[in-house]
Amino acid sequence: MAAALPPSDHDWMAAAARLAARARPLSRPNPGVAALVVAETRVIARGWTQAGGRPHAEAAALAGLAPDVLARATLYVTLEPCAHVSERGPACTDLIIAARPARVVIGQRDHDPRTAGQGMARLEAAGIAVTLLDDPAAAASLTGFLTRMTQGRPRVTLKLATSLDGCIALADGTSQWITGEAARAHVHAHRARHDAILVGGGTSRSDQPRLDVRLPGLEARSPQRVVLTRGPAPEGTTALPAPEAIASLEGVQYLYVEGGAATAAAFLAADLVDELHLYTAPILIGDGLRALGPLGLADLAAAHGRWQFRERRQLGSDSFAAYLRTR
């Protein structure tokens, strides 16, 4: 049997990207970054962005490591180390230069103009070897931050829970519950990973949803509540007049949209949905309320090639599927 190959830079970066999940969404308004310190094919330290954005992943990973250990180690970090001075703490680039690891491997370039390549340039000027991977796993772990930086808005996930025939409620609007407990717990786990959750004004008025996280131990991770309405929003929620106004949600990198039908259609028609989460219950409703309103499609060709399958799983008697936007 052939000997196993040592882990590659992309293997280590994939491990760092998985670690970055621990930072989301508590790191807001900072991106959820992770770092690994690797010496002789062994992880000797790790860190991720802490609650409120400080300390950064690099600071957490490098703390307490001896210079002789770092001199033969590689620092893997999912995002280019920051290069700007902040009142909240030193630039990570300065910390790395002081620590002097043998090498730094970066998953994604930072689009923040305060860094934007300056972090890598300063490390190289200090004599530290730098590799930029443009790694897909690192990009996936930073999608909210990258969407905010490149498109000026949060990354949007649209959740729909429907019957087999595509209904979200009976004809009279009764909708509790389409799916079972396992699927609802799965939804709450996703809520806990988002900065904000949005519903339409009609859903807010008729259902008065709590829009919180009701999983033991995760209640404190309930997201900011947003209502799509031109009228007043309920107390404790933020009102937005149109889907495009999500750009004004300060500090929000990940937005979870839960409907109803008109709101879901509005976000899709505005081309603002990055990921679809579809929960399907094994029931038939018939003459019920449809999951989506009009999308303004001129022909079927416009509907094809739009979504790429990402994940499927069974949740009790219900099924879950996730799709990523391809264009």
Side-chain angles (χ1 to χ4, degrees):
M1 181 180 296
L5 295 174
S8 68
D9 284 342
H10 285 285
D11 291 330
W12 290 120
M13 192 59 66
R18 290 191 293 272
L19 182 64
R22 297 194 178 192
R24 176 180 165 186
L26 300 179
S27 66
R28 66 176 296 199
N30 287 21
V33 178
L36 299 178
V37 182
V38 177
E40 299 173 355
T41 70
R42 184 171 65 91
V43 175
I44 59 173
R46 59 181 184 165
W48 58 91
T49 313
Q50 296 298 297
R54 292 283 178 170
H56 286 182
E58 300 93 322
L62 293 172
L65 292 179
D68 61 322
V69 172
L70 282 166
R72 52 187 173 80
T74 297
L75 172 66
Y76 291 89
V77 59
T78 53
L79 183 68
E80 180 183 3
C82 63
H84 62 279
V85 177
S86 168
E87 294 179 355
R88 303 179 65 200
C92 290
T93 300
D94 293 332
L95 293 177
I96 296 170
I97 291 173
R100 302 208 64 80
R103 182 169 171 249
V104 177
V105 179
I106 297 166
Q108 288 291 311
R109 181 188 299 271
D110 191 349
H111 292 272
D112 187 324
R114 296 173 299 177
T115 293
Q118 297 179 62
M120 290 184 288
R122 288 180 57 191
L123 292 174
E124 290 175 331
I128 298 173
V130 176
T131 300
L132 175 64
L133 290 183
D134 192 18
D135 181 77
S141 74
L142 291 161
T143 50
F145 171 73
L146 296 175
T147 302
R148 173 60 80 177
M149 286 291 105
T150 59
Q151 300 184 44
R153 64 166 178 86
R155 176 180 171 82
V156 176
T157 297
L158 172 62
K159 181 225 92 177
L160 297 171
T162 77
S163 61
L164 291 173
D165 51 350
C167 293
I168 58 172
L170 299 178
D172 66 1
T174 303
S175 61
Q176 294 183 337
W177 295 100
I178 293 288
T179 55
E181 290 186 10
R184 295 199 297 274
H186 194 256
V187 169
H188 281 259
H190 278 289
R191 285 182 178 182
R193 287 170 48 78
H194 285 76
D195 301 308
I197 181 171
L198 180 147
V199 296
T203 297
S204 176
R205 289 186 293 271
S206 61
D207 295 348
Q208 297 183 341
R210 291 164 56 180
L211 304 180
D212 57 3
V213 175
R214 296 189 292 277
L215 295 177
L218 293 179
E219 296 89 349
R221 296 201 183 190
S222 294
Q224 176 183 341
R225 296 179 296 163
V226 183
V227 176
L228 189 68
T229 179
R230 286 186 168 84
E235 184 178 355
T237 66
T238 299
L240 294 181
E244 292 80 3
I246 61 174
S248 67
L249 293 172
E250 187 175 353
V252 174
Q253 298 177 45
Y254 296 93
L255 176 65
Y256 199 51
V257 176
E258 289 205 20
T263 294
F267 271 85
L268 288 166
D271 198 24
L272 290 174
V273 178
D274 303 292
E275 186 166 352
L276 283 172
H277 284 186
L278 304 180
Y279 296 86
T280 305
I283 60 174
L284 296 170
I285 291 179
D287 187 19
L289 300 182
R290 310 303 298 175
L292 289 174
L295 297 179
L297 289 176
D299 55 60
L300 279 177
H304 287 283
R306 188 75 176 168
W307 302 98
Q308 179 182 21
F309 171 76
R310 185 177 72 87
E311 177 188 359
R312 178 176 288 112
R313 64 177 61 192
Q314 196 68 26
L315 300 168
S317 61
D318 305 315
S319 63
F320 166 77
Y323 297 85
L324 298 177
R325 183 174 65 173
T326 58
R327 61 178 174 86

